[in-house]
Amino acid sequence: QKQKMSTRQEPFINCIRRTLEAALCLRNFPSQIVERYNKPEVELGTSKELLLYPVTLCNRDTEEACKIEGSVNSTRVSIRFRKMDDIERLLAKKYMRFLMQRAENFYVLRRKPVEGFDISFLITNKHTESMFKEKIVDFILNFMKDIDKEIKDMKIHQSSRAHAVARGYLKK
C-alpha cells in the first residue's frame, strides 16, 4: 500500500522513480582496457560509448534537483535538497557529512558527493544482482523524503532551543 506524499513533491518523485527504473538496468561488464578489471564505468568514464547521457531533474526550481548518471554497469544518483535559509544549509551540510562518514552501512552511499549536490549514491550491477531493483529505488526515494523532513524537524528543534535560551538569558 503506497502512502500519500505531498502534492508539491509527487510529480518530482514519480519522475525520479521512472528514470531510476530505466537507469538501473545494469549488467556485469568488465573493463575494455584492463583484463579482469571490473569497476563502475560511471565513476571512471574511460569508455564514452558505455556512458548514458546524464539526466538532471529539477523540482520547479534549481534548488532541489536529482542528477542520474548511468552506464552499462553502474548508475550514480546525486541529490540536492531544498534549503530555504542559512540554518537549513548548515543543518543539511552537517547531517550529510554525518551520513557520509557512515557510508559503509548504507552500501550504495558514496563518501563524497558530486560537485554541486548534497549527497550521492553509487549503484553497481553487484547491487542489482544481490538486492531487488524496486527496493533500491524505494530506498533512495524514501531517503529523499525523510531527509527533507528530518532537516525541517531539526530546524524547528533548534529554533525552539534558541527561544528557550533567549528567554532564560533575558530573565537574568
PDB file of all heavy atoms in Angstrom, residues 118-144:
ATOM      1  N   ASP A 118      24.271  17.591  -2.666  1.00  0.00           N
ATOM      2  CA  ASP A 118      24.444  17.347  -1.234  1.00  0.00           C
ATOM      3  C   ASP A 118      24.888  15.930  -0.921  1.00  0.00           C
ATOM      4  O   ASP A 118      25.654  15.710   0.023  1.00  0.00           O
ATOM      5  CB  ASP A 118      23.131  17.638  -0.483  1.00  0.00           C
ATOM      6  CG  ASP A 118      22.731  19.096  -0.595  1.00  0.00           C
ATOM      7  OD1 ASP A 118      23.617  19.961  -0.513  1.00  0.00           O
ATOM      8  OD2 ASP A 118      21.524  19.366  -0.776  1.00  0.00           O
ATOM      9  N   ILE A 119      24.392  14.961  -1.671  1.00  0.00           N
ATOM     10  CA  ILE A 119      24.704  13.559  -1.387  1.00  0.00           C
ATOM     11  C   ILE A 119      24.611  12.763  -2.678  1.00  0.00           C
ATOM     12  O   ILE A 119      23.869  13.138  -3.595  1.00  0.00           O
ATOM     13  CB  ILE A 119      23.759  13.012  -0.297  1.00  0.00           C
ATOM     14  CG1 ILE A 119      24.320  11.753   0.333  1.00  0.00           C
ATOM     15  CG2 ILE A 119      22.349  12.807  -0.816  1.00  0.00           C
ATOM     16  CD1 ILE A 119      23.722  11.456   1.686  1.00  0.00           C
ATOM     17  N   SER A 120      25.381  11.675  -2.767  1.00  0.00           N
ATOM     18  CA  SER A 120      25.389  10.844  -3.968  1.00  0.00           C
ATOM     19  C   SER A 120      25.341   9.369  -3.599  1.00  0.00           C
ATOM     20  O   SER A 120      25.888   8.957  -2.578  1.00  0.00           O
ATOM     21  CB  SER A 120      26.640  11.099  -4.809  1.00  0.00           C
ATOM     22  OG  SER A 120      26.643  12.401  -5.327  1.00  0.00           O
ATOM     23  N   PHE A 121      24.696   8.604  -4.470  1.00  0.00           N
ATOM     24  CA  PHE A 121      24.631   7.155  -4.340  1.00  0.00           C
ATOM     25  C   PHE A 121      25.281   6.541  -5.571  1.00  0.00           C
ATOM     26  O   PHE A 121      25.172   7.080  -6.666  1.00  0.00           O
ATOM     27  CB  PHE A 121      23.175   6.677  -4.276  1.00  0.00           C
ATOM     28  CG  PHE A 121      22.415   7.198  -3.099  1.00  0.00           C
ATOM     29  CD1 PHE A 121      21.667   8.353  -3.195  1.00  0.00           C
ATOM     30  CD2 PHE A 121      22.435   6.528  -1.887  1.00  0.00           C
ATOM     31  CE1 PHE A 121      20.956   8.840  -2.117  1.00  0.00           C
ATOM     32  CE2 PHE A 121      21.735   7.003  -0.803  1.00  0.00           C
ATOM     33  CZ  PHE A 121      20.992   8.161  -0.918  1.00  0.00           C
ATOM     34  N   LEU A 122      25.951   5.409  -5.380  1.00  0.00           N
ATOM     35  CA  LEU A 122      26.533   4.667  -6.494  1.00  0.00           C
ATOM     36  C   LEU A 122      25.958   3.259  -6.462  1.00  0.00           C
ATOM     37  O   LEU A 122      26.168   2.521  -5.501  1.00  0.00           O
ATOM     38  CB  LEU A 122      28.057   4.619  -6.401  1.00  0.00           C
ATOM     39  CG  LEU A 122      28.750   3.819  -7.499  1.00  0.00           C
ATOM     40  CD1 LEU A 122      28.553   4.488  -8.855  1.00  0.00           C
ATOM     41  CD2 LEU A 122      30.222   3.656  -7.204  1.00  0.00           C
ATOM     42  N   ILE A 123      25.225   2.900  -7.502  1.00  0.00           N
ATOM     43  CA  ILE A 123      24.604   1.587  -7.592  1.00  0.00           C
ATOM     44  C   ILE A 123      25.284   0.837  -8.732  1.00  0.00           C
ATOM     45  O   ILE A 123      25.314   1.317  -9.867  1.00  0.00           O
ATOM     46  CB  ILE A 123      23.090   1.712  -7.852  1.00  0.00           C
ATOM     47  CG1 ILE A 123      22.461   2.521  -6.731  1.00  0.00           C
ATOM     48  CG2 ILE A 123      22.448   0.346  -7.937  1.00  0.00           C
ATOM     49  CD1 ILE A 123      21.377   3.418  -7.164  1.00  0.00           C
ATOM     50  N   THR A 124      25.854  -0.311  -8.416  1.00  0.00           N
ATOM     51  CA  THR A 124      26.544  -1.111  -9.416  1.00  0.00           C
ATOM     52  C   THR A 124      25.711  -2.334  -9.765  1.00  0.00           C
ATOM     53  O   THR A 124      24.692  -2.619  -9.130  1.00  0.00           O
ATOM     54  CB  THR A 124      27.928  -1.569  -8.903  1.00  0.00           C
ATOM     55  OG1 THR A 124      27.732  -2.430  -7.779  1.00  0.00           O
ATOM     56  CG2 THR A 124      28.790  -0.380  -8.507  1.00  0.00           C
ATOM     57  N   ASN A 125      26.175  -3.080 -10.760  1.00  0.00           N
ATOM     58  CA  ASN A 125      25.477  -4.299 -11.146  1.00  0.00           C
ATOM     59  C   ASN A 125      25.476  -5.319 -10.006  1.00  0.00           C
ATOM     60  O   ASN A 125      24.544  -6.103  -9.870  1.00  0.00           O
ATOM     61  CB  ASN A 125      26.095  -4.895 -12.405  1.00  0.00           C
ATOM     62  CG  ASN A 125      27.520  -5.346 -12.185  1.00  0.00           C
ATOM     63  OD1 ASN A 125      28.392  -4.552 -11.838  1.00  0.00           O
ATOM     64  ND2 ASN A 125      27.783  -6.623 -12.385  1.00  0.00           N
ATOM     65  N   LYS A 126      26.470  -5.289  -9.146  1.00  0.00           N
ATOM     66  CA  LYS A 126      26.508  -6.204  -7.990  1.00  0.00           C
ATOM     67  C   LYS A 126      25.362  -5.909  -7.021  1.00  0.00           C
ATOM     68  O   LYS A 126      24.798  -6.823  -6.427  1.00  0.00           O
ATOM     69  CB  LYS A 126      27.849  -6.099  -7.285  1.00  0.00           C
ATOM     70  CG  LYS A 126      29.004  -6.661  -8.096  1.00  0.00           C
ATOM     71  CD  LYS A 126      30.249  -6.731  -7.260  1.00  0.00           C
ATOM     72  CE  LYS A 126      31.480  -7.180  -7.968  1.00  0.00           C
ATOM     73  NZ  LYS A 126      31.450  -7.749  -9.251  1.00  0.00           N
ATOM     74  N   HIS A 127      25.024  -4.647  -6.866  1.00  0.00           N
ATOM     75  CA  HIS A 127      23.894  -4.282  -6.004  1.00  0.00           C
ATOM     76  C   HIS A 127      22.574  -4.776  -6.600  1.00  0.00           C
ATOM     77  O   HIS A 127      21.728  -5.295  -5.870  1.00  0.00           O
ATOM     78  CB  HIS A 127      23.824  -2.760  -5.809  1.00  0.00           C
ATOM     79  CG  HIS A 127      24.982  -2.209  -5.049  1.00  0.00           C
ATOM     80  ND1 HIS A 127      25.781  -1.213  -5.559  1.00  0.00           N
ATOM     81  CD2 HIS A 127      25.496  -2.516  -3.837  1.00  0.00           C
ATOM     82  CE1 HIS A 127      26.729  -0.926  -4.688  1.00  0.00           C
ATOM     83  NE2 HIS A 127      26.583  -1.699  -3.635  1.00  0.00           N
ATOM     84  N   THR A 128      22.399  -4.606  -7.902  1.00  0.00           N
ATOM     85  CA  THR A 128      21.138  -5.026  -8.518  1.00  0.00           C
ATOM     86  C   THR A 128      21.028  -6.550  -8.602  1.00  0.00           C
ATOM     87  O   THR A 128      19.925  -7.075  -8.691  1.00  0.00           O
ATOM     88  CB  THR A 128      20.954  -4.413  -9.921  1.00  0.00           C
ATOM     89  OG1 THR A 128      22.058  -4.765 -10.744  1.00  0.00           O
ATOM     90  CG2 THR A 128      20.816  -2.903  -9.839  1.00  0.00           C
ATOM     91  N   GLU A 129      22.167  -7.251  -8.575  1.00  0.00           N
ATOM     92  CA  GLU A 129      22.139  -8.715  -8.561  1.00  0.00           C
ATOM     93  C   GLU A 129      21.820  -9.256  -7.175  1.00  0.00           C
ATOM     94  O   GLU A 129      21.177 -10.292  -7.044  1.00  0.00           O
ATOM     95  CB  GLU A 129      23.481  -9.275  -9.033  1.00  0.00           C
ATOM     96  CG  GLU A 129      23.741  -9.073 -10.507  1.00  0.00           C
ATOM     97  CD  GLU A 129      25.174  -9.373 -10.904  1.00  0.00           C
ATOM     98  OE1 GLU A 129      25.970  -9.805 -10.046  1.00  0.00           O
ATOM     99  OE2 GLU A 129      25.504  -9.168 -12.088  1.00  0.00           O
ATOM    100  N   SER A 130      22.253  -8.551  -6.126  1.00  0.00           N
ATOM    101  CA  SER A 130      22.053  -9.053  -4.763  1.00  0.00           C
ATOM    102  C   SER A 130      20.833  -8.459  -4.069  1.00  0.00           C
ATOM    103  O   SER A 130      20.392  -8.990  -3.052  1.00  0.00           O
ATOM    104  CB  SER A 130      23.303  -8.789  -3.921  1.00  0.00           C
ATOM    105  OG  SER A 130      23.520  -7.409  -3.776  1.00  0.00           O
ATOM    106  N   MET A 131      20.269  -7.366  -4.593  1.00  0.00           N
ATOM    107  CA  MET A 131      19.090  -6.734  -3.998  1.00  0.00           C
ATOM    108  C   MET A 131      18.030  -6.534  -5.076  1.00  0.00           C
ATOM    109  O   MET A 131      18.349  -6.506  -6.264  1.00  0.00           O
ATOM    110  CB  MET A 131      19.461  -5.368  -3.409  1.00  0.00           C
ATOM    111  CG  MET A 131      20.461  -5.406  -2.285  1.00  0.00           C
ATOM    112  SD  MET A 131      20.765  -3.768  -1.629  1.00  0.00           S
ATOM    113  CE  MET A 131      22.409  -3.456  -2.238  1.00  0.00           C
ATOM    114  N   PHE A 132      16.792  -6.356  -4.647  1.00  0.00           N
ATOM    115  CA  PHE A 132      15.722  -6.076  -5.593  1.00  0.00           C
ATOM    116  C   PHE A 132      15.845  -4.635  -6.086  1.00  0.00           C
ATOM    117  O   PHE A 132      16.027  -3.715  -5.298  1.00  0.00           O
ATOM    118  CB  PHE A 132      14.349  -6.261  -4.940  1.00  0.00           C
ATOM    119  CG  PHE A 132      14.040  -7.690  -4.603  1.00  0.00           C
ATOM    120  CD1 PHE A 132      13.947  -8.086  -3.280  1.00  0.00           C
ATOM    121  CD2 PHE A 132      13.840  -8.631  -5.597  1.00  0.00           C
ATOM    122  CE1 PHE A 132      13.658  -9.398  -2.960  1.00  0.00           C
ATOM    123  CE2 PHE A 132      13.553  -9.939  -5.290  1.00  0.00           C
ATOM    124  CZ  PHE A 132      13.463 -10.336  -3.961  1.00  0.00           C
ATOM    125  N   LYS A 133      15.728  -4.477  -7.405  1.00  0.00           N
ATOM    126  CA  LYS A 133      15.837  -3.149  -8.003  1.00  0.00           C
ATOM    127  C   LYS A 133      14.772  -2.201  -7.453  1.00  0.00           C
ATOM    128  O   LYS A 133      15.052  -1.041  -7.168  1.00  0.00           O
ATOM    129  CB  LYS A 133      15.734  -3.269  -9.521  1.00  0.00           C
ATOM    130  CG  LYS A 133      15.867  -1.951 -10.256  1.00  0.00           C
ATOM    131  CD  LYS A 133      15.960  -2.124 -11.744  1.00  0.00           C
ATOM    132  CE  LYS A 133      14.619  -2.398 -12.337  1.00  0.00           C
ATOM    133  NZ  LYS A 133      14.607  -2.290 -13.815  1.00  0.00           N
ATOM    134  N   GLU A 134      13.561  -2.693  -7.275  1.00  0.00           N
ATOM    135  CA  GLU A 134      12.464  -1.863  -6.768  1.00  0.00           C
ATOM    136  C   GLU A 134      12.761  -1.372  -5.351  1.00  0.00           C
ATOM    137  O   GLU A 134      12.423  -0.254  -4.992  1.00  0.00           O
ATOM    138  CB  GLU A 134      11.140  -2.644  -6.766  1.00  0.00           C
ATOM    139  CG  GLU A 134      10.658  -3.019  -8.144  1.00  0.00           C
ATOM    140  CD  GLU A 134      11.347  -4.265  -8.708  1.00  0.00           C
ATOM    141  OE1 GLU A 134      11.877  -5.080  -7.916  1.00  0.00           O
ATOM    142  OE2 GLU A 134      11.383  -4.404  -9.934  1.00  0.00           O
ATOM    143  N   LYS A 135      13.401  -2.235  -4.557  1.00  0.00           N
ATOM    144  CA  LYS A 135      13.739  -1.856  -3.172  1.00  0.00           C
ATOM    145  C   LYS A 135      14.835  -0.791  -3.147  1.00  0.00           C
ATOM    146  O   LYS A 135      14.831   0.092  -2.286  1.00  0.00           O
ATOM    147  CB  LYS A 135      14.182  -3.081  -2.365  1.00  0.00           C
ATOM    148  CG  LYS A 135      13.103  -4.113  -2.192  1.00  0.00           C
ATOM    149  CD  LYS A 135      12.015  -3.600  -1.308  1.00  0.00           C
ATOM    150  CE  LYS A 135      10.965  -4.670  -1.083  1.00  0.00           C
ATOM    151  NZ  LYS A 135       9.828  -4.184  -0.350  1.00  0.00           N
ATOM    152  N   ILE A 136      15.772  -0.857  -4.081  1.00  0.00           N
ATOM    153  CA  ILE A 136      16.819   0.171  -4.169  1.00  0.00           C
ATOM    154  C   ILE A 136      16.183   1.519  -4.524  1.00  0.00           C
ATOM    155  O   ILE A 136      16.494   2.542  -3.911  1.00  0.00           O
ATOM    156  CB  ILE A 136      17.895  -0.220  -5.209  1.00  0.00           C
ATOM    157  CG1 ILE A 136      18.635  -1.489  -4.763  1.00  0.00           C
ATOM    158  CG2 ILE A 136      18.881   0.917  -5.427  1.00  0.00           C
ATOM    159  CD1 ILE A 136      19.561  -2.066  -5.817  1.00  0.00           C
ATOM    160  N   VAL A 137      15.279   1.514  -5.498  1.00  0.00           N
ATOM    161  CA  VAL A 137      14.591   2.743  -5.913  1.00  0.00           C
ATOM    162  C   VAL A 137      13.775   3.290  -4.740  1.00  0.00           C
ATOM    163  O   VAL A 137      13.821   4.493  -4.443  1.00  0.00           O
ATOM    164  CB  VAL A 137      13.704   2.489  -7.152  1.00  0.00           C
ATOM    165  CG1 VAL A 137      12.841   3.699  -7.462  1.00  0.00           C
ATOM    166  CG2 VAL A 137      14.552   2.118  -8.353  1.00  0.00           C
ATOM    167  N   ASP A 138      13.036   2.414  -4.062  1.00  0.00           N
ATOM    168  CA  ASP A 138      12.241   2.843  -2.900  1.00  0.00           C
ATOM    169  C   ASP A 138      13.115   3.427  -1.803  1.00  0.00           C
ATOM    170  O   ASP A 138      12.753   4.417  -1.178  1.00  0.00           O
ATOM    171  CB  ASP A 138      11.424   1.672  -2.342  1.00  0.00           C
ATOM    172  CG  ASP A 138      10.260   1.289  -3.235  1.00  0.00           C
ATOM    173  OD1 ASP A 138       9.866   2.117  -4.079  1.00  0.00           O
ATOM    174  OD2 ASP A 138       9.758   0.160  -3.088  1.00  0.00           O
ATOM    175  N   PHE A 139      14.287   2.811  -1.565  1.00  0.00           N
ATOM    176  CA  PHE A 139      15.205   3.323  -0.546  1.00  0.00           C
ATOM    177  C   PHE A 139      15.642   4.744  -0.868  1.00  0.00           C
ATOM    178  O   PHE A 139      15.614   5.628  -0.002  1.00  0.00           O
ATOM    179  CB  PHE A 139      16.430   2.405  -0.413  1.00  0.00           C
ATOM    180  CG  PHE A 139      17.535   3.013   0.390  1.00  0.00           C
ATOM    181  CD1 PHE A 139      17.442   3.088   1.771  1.00  0.00           C
ATOM    182  CD2 PHE A 139      18.658   3.539  -0.227  1.00  0.00           C
ATOM    183  CE1 PHE A 139      18.453   3.663   2.524  1.00  0.00           C
ATOM    184  CE2 PHE A 139      19.667   4.115   0.509  1.00  0.00           C
ATOM    185  CZ  PHE A 139      19.569   4.179   1.890  1.00  0.00           C
ATOM    186  N   ILE A 140      16.041   4.985  -2.112  1.00  0.00           N
ATOM    187  CA  ILE A 140      16.515   6.324  -2.498  1.00  0.00           C
ATOM    188  C   ILE A 140      15.397   7.350  -2.385  1.00  0.00           C
ATOM    189  O   ILE A 140      15.594   8.448  -1.851  1.00  0.00           O
ATOM    190  CB  ILE A 140      17.123   6.294  -3.917  1.00  0.00           C
ATOM    191  CG1 ILE A 140      18.428   5.495  -3.891  1.00  0.00           C
ATOM    192  CG2 ILE A 140      17.369   7.699  -4.442  1.00  0.00           C
ATOM    193  CD1 ILE A 140      19.043   5.242  -5.233  1.00  0.00           C
ATOM    194  N   LEU A 141      14.203   7.006  -2.838  1.00  0.00           N
ATOM    195  CA  LEU A 141      13.083   7.951  -2.778  1.00  0.00           C
ATOM    196  C   LEU A 141      12.635   8.208  -1.343  1.00  0.00           C
ATOM    197  O   LEU A 141      12.370   9.354  -0.964  1.00  0.00           O
ATOM    198  CB  LEU A 141      11.920   7.439  -3.624  1.00  0.00           C
ATOM    199  CG  LEU A 141      12.219   7.333  -5.122  1.00  0.00           C
ATOM    200  CD1 LEU A 141      11.030   6.748  -5.860  1.00  0.00           C
ATOM    201  CD2 LEU A 141      12.627   8.657  -5.707  1.00  0.00           C
ATOM    202  N   ASN A 142      12.574   7.165  -0.529  1.00  0.00           N
ATOM    203  CA  ASN A 142      12.233   7.349   0.890  1.00  0.00           C
ATOM    204  C   ASN A 142      13.308   8.154   1.604  1.00  0.00           C
ATOM    205  O   ASN A 142      13.010   8.964   2.481  1.00  0.00           O
ATOM    206  CB  ASN A 142      12.025   6.005   1.582  1.00  0.00           C
ATOM    207  CG  ASN A 142      10.727   5.352   1.182  1.00  0.00           C
ATOM    208  OD1 ASN A 142       9.782   6.028   0.792  1.00  0.00           O
ATOM    209  ND2 ASN A 142      10.683   4.039   1.242  1.00  0.00           N
ATOM    210  N   PHE A 143      14.559   7.932   1.232  1.00  0.00           N
ATOM    211  CA  PHE A 143      15.676   8.688   1.792  1.00  0.00           C
ATOM    212  C   PHE A 143      15.488  10.175   1.494  1.00  0.00           C
ATOM    213  O   PHE A 143      15.639  11.018   2.380  1.00  0.00           O
ATOM    214  CB  PHE A 143      16.993   8.174   1.210  1.00  0.00           C
ATOM    215  CG  PHE A 143      18.209   8.846   1.763  1.00  0.00           C
ATOM    216  CD1 PHE A 143      18.799   8.385   2.922  1.00  0.00           C
ATOM    217  CD2 PHE A 143      18.766   9.940   1.125  1.00  0.00           C
ATOM    218  CE1 PHE A 143      19.918   8.997   3.435  1.00  0.00           C
ATOM    219  CE2 PHE A 143      19.883  10.561   1.634  1.00  0.00           C
ATOM    220  CZ  PHE A 143      20.461  10.089   2.793  1.00  0.00           C
ATOM    221  N   MET A 144      15.124  10.494   0.249  1.00  0.00           N
ATOM    222  CA  MET A 144      14.909  11.898  -0.141  1.00  0.00           C
ATOM    223  C   MET A 144      13.802  12.535   0.695  1.00  0.00           C
ATOM    224  O   MET A 144      13.951  13.646   1.195  1.00  0.00           O
ATOM    225  CB  MET A 144      14.545  11.987  -1.623  1.00  0.00           C
ATOM    226  CG  MET A 144      15.678  11.738  -2.561  1.00  0.00           C
ATOM    227  SD  MET A 144      15.150  11.762  -4.277  1.00  0.00           S
ATOM    228  CE  MET A 144      14.693  13.475  -4.448  1.00  0.00           C
TER     229      MET A 144
END
